[in-house]
Amino acid sequence: MPSTVFDKKPKYEKLIALIRGTAYAQNKTYEDLAEIIGCHSNTVVRRMKMPETYTLGELAKIGSSLNIPLEELRQAITY
C-alpha cells in the first residue's frame, strides 16, 4: 500500500536559523539573548526548542538588538 511522506521539518526552522545565525555572527550567547528579552537563559533555550512560544515583543527586541530587519523576521515566520 502506498504511503505519504510528510515534511518533518519544523515549522519555524527559518526563524530559529535566522536568530541563531545572526547571534553567532555577533558572538552573542543565550545569556546575552536572555538579557535582551529580560528572562533567564533557560527560557531562551526553551524558546529555541519551541519557537511558537516567542511573543511578538520578544521577537521585536531580538530583531532590534541583533539588527535583523523586520521584513526578514516576517519572512521567517510561517504558519
Side-chain angles (χ1 to χ4, degrees):
M1 173 182 258
S3 63
T4 303
V5 177
F6 293 103
D7 187 12
K8 298 287 185 180
K9 292 183 180 179
K11 200 176 200 183
Y12 299 99
E13 182 179 281
K14 289 181 184 179
L15 176 65
I16 296 305
L18 177 64
I19 293 172
R20 279 188 181 153
T22 306
Y24 179 78
Q26 297 179 14
N27 295 319
K28 301 284 186 183
T29 63
Y30 283 163
E31 289 81 16
D32 296 329
L33 293 177
E35 266 186 50
I36 291 169
I37 61 176
C39 67
H40 195 271
S41 60
N42 289 341
T43 303
V44 174
V45 172
R46 191 175 332 113
R47 296 263 198 273
M48 289 295 186
K49 290 180 182 177
M50 298 184 316
E52 64 273 8
T53 60
Y54 271 115
T55 65
L56 290 176
E58 290 171 344
L59 288 175
K61 287 177 185 178
I62 289 173
S64 176
S65 297
L66 297 179
N67 298 319
I68 301 173
L70 185 58
E71 191 57 38
E72 282 187 43
L73 282 173
R74 284 184 184 155
Q75 288 175 355
I77 298 172
T78 58
Y79 51 91

